[in-house]
Amino acid sequence: MNLADLLQPLPFTTLTALACCVLLLPLLSFLVLGVMDRLAVRKAHPLAIGIFAVNVLLSAYLLYGLWQGKVEHSRFLWFGIGAGDSFTSFTAGISLDRLAGMMLLLVNFIALLVHLFSVRYMEHEQGFNRYFAFLGLFTFAMLGIVLSDNLFLIFIFWELVGLSSYLLIGFWYKKHSAVVASKKAFLTNRVGDVGFLMGMLILFAQFGTLDLSALQQLMPLSLVQSGSWINHFQSGGLIDVNVLPEIFITLAGLGLFCGAVGKSAQFPLQVWLPDAMEGPTPVSALIHAATMVAAGVYLLARIFIFLSIDALTVIAFIGAITAFMGAFAAFGQHDIKKVLAFSTISQLGFMVMGMGTGAYSAALFHLFTHAFFKACLFLASGAVIYAFHEAEHKAHNGLRFNAQDMRNMGGLRYKMPVTFATYVVAMLALSGLPLFSGFLSKDAILAGAWGWASLNSNSLGILAYLVPLSGFASALMTALYMGRQLFLVFYGKNRLAEFSEKGRAVWHELKEVPLSMQVPLLLLAFLSLGPIFSINPFNSEGSWLLTSLPEPAPAVPGSAVTYEAANRLYELKEAAHHYHSSSAVVSVILAVSGLIVAWLVYYLFNGRGQHYSVNHQPAGNLWRVSNRNWYLDHLYRNTVIAFVQRSMKWAAWADTRLIDPLVNFLGVSYVVFSHVVAWMDRFFVDGVVNAGVWVTGRAGLMSRSVQGSKVQSYLLLMILGVLAVLLWMVL
């Protein structure tokens, strides 16, 4: 197949032109608000809100046009390398399908609600316009990932998402912990991006392009024979053959997956996400719901058709490990936002596990439902933090306390009824109870994992069942730690008021957040209800969203021993259907049991939360493992970071003790050598030249005396010369 024919420019259509507008409007918000911030314009947030309101409407129109399965693709030649038959073209374009349309609407809708919530939340902060400008840049980068038609362009926007998260997490740049957290997030994601880059290089080396539509056609034409991955393609007038070891098929998929490991905070790179809570809380809602962490799962959806069975198996286990580790780490946290951060890690593990087990539709279904209830939970926590800060300011009694520490909370349902109601809805959705959206999507993933284990038990043995077992254990722990947070934050008496007179004054001033902050919470809570996604809220298989995201046809190499990907996906779907009812019953039992245990442990037997105070320091190794996130930071500090620091010390020692003395010695040697050369130049070279000049001068003086300008002298010399010649001839 001729590669040039596959990469022909494709004209822009009405829908792709509108998609360009959706992409560029947030960039316009960034540029305009950035300029206004430099010009010290006080507040320009209405412009940003208006831009995102327009973007939501345009995204809804695009989704309407794409809903019937229509696919739009526009492409142009970006740049090229080489000439003639060796010319390699790089294209850029926009690819639109139903999934892209749904992601556009999701990202813009969540971004709009975050903008609305942020107006009051950030009103007293310096850099108000700068904050909204960064939100625009962040959203622009995420929309670029959604719309890009090739991996190279995705990678560019991927890095821009990393930059935007760095700017937003470190928004309070005068706060040391925020600066450290932003650098940690940025550097950790670069580790995953190295794998992403390697995966792209493998595919480019084999096919000569990174265009996803071209790869979808080229991959099935390649062959696997005798342990080699062979690709024939026509470039210009030549037929080229690329041969790589078969293992590179899996390595390419795992390399791209490494990018998702970084962005979606999967094991072992999940350490950056809890620290990202140092940024403003609305930013946390945007990162955890619809942008940065969702980018990794969306990338997996786009490359799902290229993943080998071995790559999918690794992805399934990584997702299962992450889901379990994140859920367990949430128990030992006191910070209200960090509990939700570890919850996000766990839920992302569910999505990745779903992709790895072939439950493609279920994983994406959970991506969408999770976006709504997790954004609601983060904004609800932001409402609690905002209310505490406002009460502290109004009390004005000098009391200083951590407004994010749950040990200072309790009884908030009396003071903040709207926040409490929306939190409960979102919490029940996350816990996976029936009638809420989380039950539908999580049940679909668990059923898929159970079916996958049954099909792989022959090849993997009992290890296959560790994946669904981890999923069910994580579902139980999710209900436990969310019940813990519910009872410690909203039930019982307020612990800040119980243990301090000044605390009682703060409690007296505490009140519900303004209406502009309540509206986003109410909308997100409404979208967390099960009937929104399925007429029968007890049946995930009947969900309109699940059925609108069918598994794509695999595009894997052919071989003598064929990759039976299509048949395998069909078998996985049948197995998931077989275990659907069983997994639903088990997950509901686990969720209800978790909430009951949380009520017993953290409310009834805990003095209605009174024993959970600032002096509360639980003991036990399990609690320490949970509180310190499995000691991953400690492990990295004592291995990777320690190695780098020791290497830097050795490099510094070598620089000062070896390189600097060598450079100094060479410098002195060059100076001495230059002096020697200068002396030789003066005494030898200049001496020879001067001697030649002196001899020439003397000869000139002697010859000058012969030429006296007298004719008779010249005649005499001529006669003497002739006589001398005659005399020489005679003799």
Side-chain angles (χ1 to χ4, degrees), residues 14-24 62 94 96 104 147:
T14 302
L15 291 182
T16 53
L18 283 177
C20 286
C21 295
V22 172
L23 173 64
L24 295 176
L62 282 171
I94 286 179
L96 282 173
L104 287 179
L147 293 173

Side-chain angles (χ1 to χ4, degrees), residues 435-702:
L435 302 179
F436 299 94
S437 61
F439 165 75
L440 297 170
S441 55
K442 191 180 293 186
D443 170 58
I445 291 176
L446 291 173
W450 200 343
W452 177 88
S454 67
L455 291 178
N456 286 273
S457 57
N458 291 332
S459 58
L460 298 175
I462 195 172
L463 289 176
Y465 285 97
L466 291 179
V467 172
L469 181 62
S470 173
F472 284 114
S474 302
L476 171 64
M477 288 190 290
T478 300
L480 269 169
Y481 66 70
M482 289 309 298
R484 169 181 180 263
Q485 188 175 69
L486 173 70
F487 294 119
L488 293 178
V489 172
F490 292 99
Y491 282 82
K493 294 182 179 180
N494 184 263
R495 291 175 288 280
L496 187 67
E498 285 291 303
F499 297 103
S500 167
E501 182 67 33
K502 293 182 177 180
R504 280 191 284 276
V506 173
W507 172 253
H508 178 72
E509 296 292 341
L510 197 69
K511 64 179 182 179
E512 184 62 89
V513 294
L515 181 62
S516 62
M517 299 173 74
Q518 294 178 30
V519 170
L521 290 172
L522 292 168
L523 286 173
L524 291 169
F526 174 72
L527 292 171
S528 299
L529 298 174
I532 300 296
F533 299 95
S534 177
I535 297 176
N536 181 359
F538 296 95
N539 181 19
S540 62
E541 291 184 329
S543 168
W544 63 266
L545 182 56
L546 186 69
T547 55
S548 67
L549 296 168
E551 288 82 0
V556 293
S559 64
V561 182
T562 179
Y563 283 68
E564 297 176 346
N567 293 335
R568 183 176 177 80
L569 284 177
Y570 174 77
E571 292 173 356
L572 288 171
K573 190 172 183 180
E574 289 297 311
H577 174 73
H578 177 72
Y579 289 102
H580 165 66
S581 299
S582 303
S583 65
V585 172
V586 173
S587 64
V588 169
I589 292 174
L590 292 175
V592 173
S593 300
L595 291 175
I596 292 174
V597 172
W599 176 72
L600 293 173
V601 174
Y602 298 107
Y603 184 74
L604 187 62
F605 299 151
N606 197 262
R608 297 191 175 184
Q610 294 309 295
H611 302 316
Y612 183 72
S613 65
V614 290
N615 298 320
H616 175 72
Q617 294 295 335
N621 292 329
L622 286 178
W623 182 87
R624 282 190 286 270
V625 170
S626 174
N627 178 258
R628 299 177 187 181
N629 189 19
W630 298 86
Y631 288 94
L632 287 176
D633 284 315
H634 179 78
L635 175 64
Y636 290 146
R637 278 196 300 269
N638 288 279
T639 53
V640 178
I641 297 175
F643 172 76
V644 172
Q645 289 177 335
R646 280 195 292 269
S647 300
M648 292 170 62
K649 289 181 180 178
W650 278 105
W653 179 87
D655 183 56
T656 55
R657 299 298 181 88
L658 297 178
I659 297 177
D660 283 352
L662 178 61
V663 171
N664 293 335
F665 171 76
L666 292 175
V668 172
S669 300
Y670 289 150
V671 171
V672 172
F673 178 72
S674 64
H675 282 295
V676 172
V677 171
W679 180 82
M680 293 179 65
D681 182 64
R682 287 195 304 271
F683 287 94
F684 289 95
V685 179
D686 289 352
V688 172
V689 172
N690 292 334
V693 171
W694 183 83
V695 171
T696 304
R698 299 285 77 77
L701 290 174
M702 292 175 64

Side-chain angles (χ1 to χ4, degrees), residues 712-727:
Q712 57 270 31
S713 299
Y714 297 156
L715 289 173
L716 177 62
L717 290 173
M718 183 182 68
I719 294 170
L720 290 175
V722 171
L723 290 175
V725 171
L726 291 174
L727 184 63

Side-chain angles (χ1 to χ4, degrees), residues 336-375:
I336 186 174
K337 289 172 61 179
K338 281 197 173 182
V339 174
L340 300 177
F342 283 109
S343 170
T344 299
I345 293 173
S346 180
Q347 298 306 305
L348 290 168
F350 269 100
M351 299 174 207
V352 171
M353 180 177 69
M355 285 290 179
T357 57
Y360 171 91
S361 302
L364 289 175
F365 185 18
H366 197 53
L367 170 65
F368 286 99
T369 59
H370 175 265
F372 295 123
F373 59 69
K374 185 52 64 70

Side-chain angles (χ1 to χ4, degrees), residues 303-314:
I303 65 171
F304 181 77
I305 59 176
F306 308 125
L307 297 173
S308 68
I309 293 174
D310 291 338
L312 288 171
T313 301
V314 173

